[in-house]
Amino acid sequence: LARDNSIITDLFCGQLLSKITCTHCNNESLAFDNFWDLALSFSKSSSGKTHLSEMLEQFLKEEALEDRSIVRIVKLGENPRR
C-alpha cells in the first residue's frame, strides 16, 4: 500500500489479519483488510462497566466456522475447479 502521510491516517487507520485454517488438512488462508473503524459490541459486566480491552478481546477472539460457512482453502498449484 502507498503510504498516506496524514496524521489522521496515522491515528485512525489500521489493518486486520484474518487467518482461516482448515480443520481437515491444516492448510491456511491469510487475508489483510484495511479499516478506519471497528464494530465493537458493548456488553456490561457485573460491575455495570464496559472496558475497551474487553471489547477488543471479544472482537479478536478465535471462532469456528459452521459447516454451511466452510471456505475451501486451495493449495498452491491446485486447480480449484476439480
Side-chain angles (χ1 to χ4, degrees), residues 13-81:
C13 191
Q15 192 173 55
L16 288 175
L17 166 64
S18 298
K19 176 180 169 184
I20 298 174
T21 304
C22 178
T23 57
H24 300 289
C25 66
N26 290 325
N27 283 335
E28 294 180 348
S29 173
L30 301 176
F32 293 90
D33 296 304
N34 297 323
F35 68 86
W36 280 91
D37 57 13
L38 299 174
L40 301 178
S41 297
F42 286 83
S43 59
K44 290 184 181 178
S45 64
S46 58
S47 66
K49 297 181 181 179
T50 303
H51 298 279
L52 179 59
S53 60
E54 293 170 356
M55 293 180 349
L56 288 170
E57 198 173 296
Q58 180 69 22
F59 180 83
L60 296 171
K61 79 176 183 178
E62 185 176 301
E63 60 183 313
L65 298 176
E66 297 179 19
D67 286 342
R68 68 178 183 270
S69 302
I70 290 178
V71 176
R72 181 171 180 201
I73 300 173
V74 180
K75 294 180 185 177
L76 290 176
E78 181 181 319
N79 184 348
R81 301 282 182 212

